Amino acid sequence: MGLIAFLDSVKQRDPAPRSRWEILTYPGVWALGFHRIAHGLFRARFFFLARLVNHVSRLLTAIDIHPGARIGRNFFIDHGFVVIGETAEIGDNVTIYQCVTLGGTDPAGGAGGKRHPTILDGSIIGSGAQVLGPITIGANARVGANAVVTRDVPAGATMVGIPARPVVVAAEDYVKPFMPYGTPCAQKFDPETQKLELLRCEIEVLKSRLDELTREEAHRKAG
């Protein structure tokens, strides 16, 4: 029953597969299965065997999950080439796309040995994103493609850019139960585009005010 629920959760996030059997061919599914074994061995302090399972998994799936990483239910890696570090913690119903790194910092700089991110329930990490250090990605947050995140992300926030910063998302997009790749695919959500739009609005306000002052001066002189 747990496996069926997991496969159905993947189907809800990926429209491509026609059946549960097809989902079972996904490298992300196999990588998670290998990780469950490796993590059990790691907790039992069979560190060499845990690493061996990890290396076999990486060879077969191109996904590298350290045996020490803690992963919740219904975790879905869409495609491969993902790296997840030893002290990473991932909640339930988290989605990660290809080429994502949950990377660590200098062990001396971590808090109590914690060097890697914590990803809370329902978060989405887009393709190529780099989430670095012992930071927390809040529940239901969205990290856009190729973003570099080095600071905590509030729950429900949408982050894009280098360094990652929050962007405004239209209500009709925000309320969607799932958003592929973490952000709407539209130029208007790019931070640089938003800055230009804000500058344009400020210029329009200044022009209106200048026109108003010009008219007032003209009336004063005419009077």
Side-chain angles (χ1 to χ4, degrees):
M1 190 64 180
L3 177 60
I4 292 176
F6 167 64
L7 297 177
D8 288 343
S9 77
V10 172
K11 184 68 175 69
Q12 291 171 2
R13 289 172 278 179
D14 182 5
R18 272 67 174 180
S19 67
R20 292 168 180 157
W21 289 107
E22 189 173 346
I23 296 172
L24 284 172
T25 67
Y26 280 20
V29 173
W30 281 90
L32 181 60
F34 278 118
H35 175 71
R36 299 298 188 198
I37 298 171
H39 186 65
L41 292 169
F42 187 87
R43 288 175 58 85
R45 304 186 67 81
F46 293 111
F47 299 124
F48 174 77
L49 291 177
R51 272 296 196 179
L52 184 60
V53 173
N54 165 242
H55 281 292
V56 171
S57 175
R58 183 172 59 185
L59 179 66
L60 295 176
T61 67
I63 295 171
D64 186 2
I65 308 176
H66 191 283
R70 299 180 181 180
I71 298 177
R73 295 180 298 106
N74 298 333
F75 175 52
F76 176 38
I77 299 175
D78 198 347
H79 306 296
F81 307 102
V82 169
V83 177
I84 299 175
E86 177 183 6
T87 61
E89 299 177 60
I90 299 173
D92 299 336
N93 302 302
V94 170
T95 304
I96 289 181
Y97 287 88
Q98 62 269 22
C99 302
V100 166
T101 299
L102 304 185
T105 55
D106 181 350
K114 172 74 168 167
R115 309 187 310 279
H116 300 88
T118 296
I119 315 295
L120 298 185
D121 298 352
S123 296
I124 303 170
I125 314 296
S127 305
Q130 309 296 300
V131 185
L132 307 175
I135 61 175
T136 298
I137 306 298
N140 300 309
R142 296 158 178 172
V143 176
N146 296 315
V148 177
V149 187
T150 57
R151 295 182 179 179
D152 290 347
V153 173
T158 296
M159 310 291 290
V160 301
I162 303 173
R165 48 204 179 277
V167 294
V168 178
V169 177
E172 59 268 24
D173 290 311
Y174 184 79
V175 298
K176 291 178 181 178
F178 180 76
M179 184 178 295
Y181 296 94
T183 51
C185 296
Q187 185 183 18
K188 65 182 179 179
F189 296 103
D190 176 70
E192 299 306 320
T193 304
Q194 288 190 334
K195 286 180 181 179
L196 291 175
E197 185 65 19
L198 288 172
L199 287 173
R200 187 187 68 79
C201 292
E202 290 178 3
I203 291 172
E204 291 294 331
V205 170
L206 290 172
K207 286 176 62 179
S208 298
R209 180 58 178 158
L210 181 60
D211 290 342
E212 182 181 338
L213 291 173
T214 302
R215 287 193 299 268
E216 290 177 358
E217 182 66 18
H219 286 316
R220 188 183 65 80
K221 289 182 178 179

